[in-house]
Amino acid sequence: MKASANEVMTLAAKAACGAGAPPAQAAAFGRAALCHLAADRSAVDLITALDALPHGPIISLPLTFAALATPASPKGVFRADTPPDLVRSYAEAQPFATSVAVDGHHLTATLDITTPTARPTVSRINLPDELARLLNTHAAKTLVPESAASRSSGAGAGLTDND
């Protein structure tokens, strides 16, 4: 399935929220998922990360990269079970240049806050069917169930959408 870059990023963020991630971590996952798929990396890393919620890399990676922005901690070391490609995708999603090095079982990231990240322009993303199903399943958990109570509270278009 082909989707726009914005659709992929938004769907991945909604899916992370639906699977139990806090909004900030979910938004970071959406940006990283876009970078991951744009670089033609394995969708298995994204599926595994979603399955690990409410723990795992979707929770820990944004916090680790946020800590890199402090002067006291210019390098981050990641757990050995964190997929290196997923760390690279999170690094590419950062607003500043970040490099990732793999040394045996250790991943190290270094952030350069003086250099903005150079991002390639991506218009369409190939979204694997299995990942698309999982993202849509988790994203659907964020929707309000249809009921008279939800409609009376303002859910839905009501009478404003009558064309």
Side-chain angles (χ1 to χ4, degrees):
M1 168 181 152
K2 289 273 190 183
S4 74
N6 192 48
E7 287 173 312
V8 170
M9 184 174 63
T10 303
L11 180 59
K14 283 184 182 179
C17 272
Q25 278 90 346
F29 177 71
R31 291 187 300 273
L34 174 61
C35 292
H36 199 80
L37 295 171
D40 203 27
R41 296 181 180 125
S42 173
V44 173
D45 291 340
L46 301 175
I47 293 168
T48 303
L50 281 168
D51 289 342
L53 283 168
H55 306 288
I58 292 176
I59 302 299
S60 64
L61 286 176
L63 298 174
T64 303
F65 278 103
L68 291 178
T70 64
S73 178
K75 288 190 177 189
V77 179
F78 303 89
R79 291 173 43 121
D81 62 345
T82 305
D85 281 346
L86 190 58
V87 175
R88 284 183 181 88
S89 297
Y90 269 88
E92 291 166 2
Q94 300 305 306
F96 300 106
T98 308
S99 62
V100 176
V102 179
D103 178 23
H105 294 291
H106 297 290
L107 293 168
T108 305
T110 306
L111 180 71
D112 177 6
I113 61 171
T114 62
T115 307
T117 297
R119 297 192 204 292
T121 303
V122 178
S123 58
R124 305 295 286 174
I125 298 289
N126 185 24
L127 187 60
D129 291 337
E130 181 183 358
L131 178 60
R133 279 191 297 277
L134 181 66
L135 292 176
N136 281 309
T137 298
H138 285 305
K141 296 175 188 175
T142 65
L143 301 175
V144 175
E146 183 180 336
S147 68
S150 66
R151 281 192 295 282
S152 68
S153 298
L159 296 175
T160 61
D161 188 19
N162 58 3
D163 50 310

